[in-house]
Amino acid sequence: MDKTPHTSAHPLYEDVLALLIASGFVSLGIFLFHQVGLLTGGTAGLALLLQQVTGLSFGLLFFGINLPFYVLAWLRMGPRFTLNTFVSVAAVSFMTDHLNGVLQIGKIEPAYAALIGGTLIGMGLLIMFRHKSSLGGFNILALFIQDRFGIRAGKLQMGLDCAIVVTSFFVVSLWLLTLSVAAAIICNLMLTLNHKPGRYQIA
């Protein structure tokens, strides 16, 4: 058996390709949510909520909301994580705002949008985490606490996301709120099951 130590570092071209793929997953999930009026947690959920209130584009709001969190990312997670996160947030902002140009959906059931959208966002976040990136905001906080205290990022993110969705009680119907909570659980279940510290390190 090969006993040679392995490293989790990825070359630049792998990071770029992975982050673009992950951003595609996340943007499609958010697009499905927006089509049926679902909300989500974190800064993405806040951007979706503000989009309904202000009429501004999701991309503009999402990009702007995340700007203050780069300071914490730089101080606590380092320049590589900060740069990768900036690229991911910018890519998701751009892709989500321009999906209408390449994708038109005539009908989608809210329950299906919650299931598939939550899965897509969770898979996108999983790829980002594996490549030292995030979607900013609470993702940065969750990863920092996981690295510092060993609390799983998925569990912490799930709690924060559900709390934000529940605060939207007066904005969406009870049915859409229920589906939004279910989508948040599905998204973060992907992280809880697949992003455990040390599981994929080979010595």
Side-chain angles (χ1 to χ4, degrees):
M1 183 179 293
D2 182 10
K3 298 290 186 178
T4 304
H6 290 70
T7 176
S8 60
H10 294 272
L12 178 62
Y13 75 92
E14 287 187 0
D15 276 346
V16 172
L17 180 60
L19 294 181
L20 288 176
I21 293 172
S23 297
F25 285 168
V26 172
S27 63
L28 181 56
I30 293 173
F31 180 80
L32 294 178
F33 283 5
H34 179 62
Q35 292 297 301
V36 297
L38 295 176
L39 298 173
T40 188
T43 50
L46 182 57
L48 282 172
L49 183 62
L50 290 176
Q51 182 181 24
Q52 295 185 20
V53 176
T54 66
L56 296 174
S57 74
F58 169 85
L60 179 63
L61 291 166
F62 183 57
F63 185 82
I65 291 169
N66 274 291
L67 289 177
F69 289 95
Y70 295 126
V71 176
L72 175 62
W74 185 275
L75 293 175
R76 299 297 188 180
M77 311 299 288
R80 178 189 175 190
F81 180 88
T82 304
L83 179 60
N84 285 356
T85 296
F86 181 85
V87 170
S88 298
V89 170
V92 169
S93 298
F94 178 83
M95 290 180 183
T96 305
D97 276 359
H98 291 84
L99 268 177
N100 272 321
V102 296
L103 178 64
Q104 298 290 329
I105 298 178
K107 178 184 177 182
I108 179 171
E109 291 294 331
Y112 182 80
L115 173 62
I116 300 302
T119 301
L120 286 168
I121 294 174
M123 289 301 298
L125 283 172
L126 180 61
I127 295 172
M128 289 178 184
F129 287 3
R130 297 276 175 82
H131 287 264
K132 304 297 182 183
S133 182
S134 75
L135 283 180
F138 291 141
N139 292 162
I140 294 174
L141 182 61
L143 285 175
F144 170 70
I145 291 178
Q146 174 174 281
D147 292 341
R148 189 71 177 271
F149 302 106
I151 301 174
R152 291 180 188 173
K155 288 185 176 180
L156 179 60
Q157 187 78 41
M158 182 185 297
L160 293 171
D161 286 353
C162 289
I164 290 179
V165 171
V166 169
T167 61
S168 306
F169 180 80
F170 297 103
V171 179
V172 299
S173 67
L174 180 59
W175 173 235
L176 290 180
L177 178 63
T178 302
L179 289 178
S180 296
V181 172
I185 293 174
I186 291 169
C187 171
N188 289 287
L189 188 61
M190 300 296 297
L191 301 178
T192 300
L193 294 177
N194 295 288
H195 190 69
K196 297 181 179 179
R199 166 171 283 188
Y200 303 99
Q201 294 178 1
I202 304 175

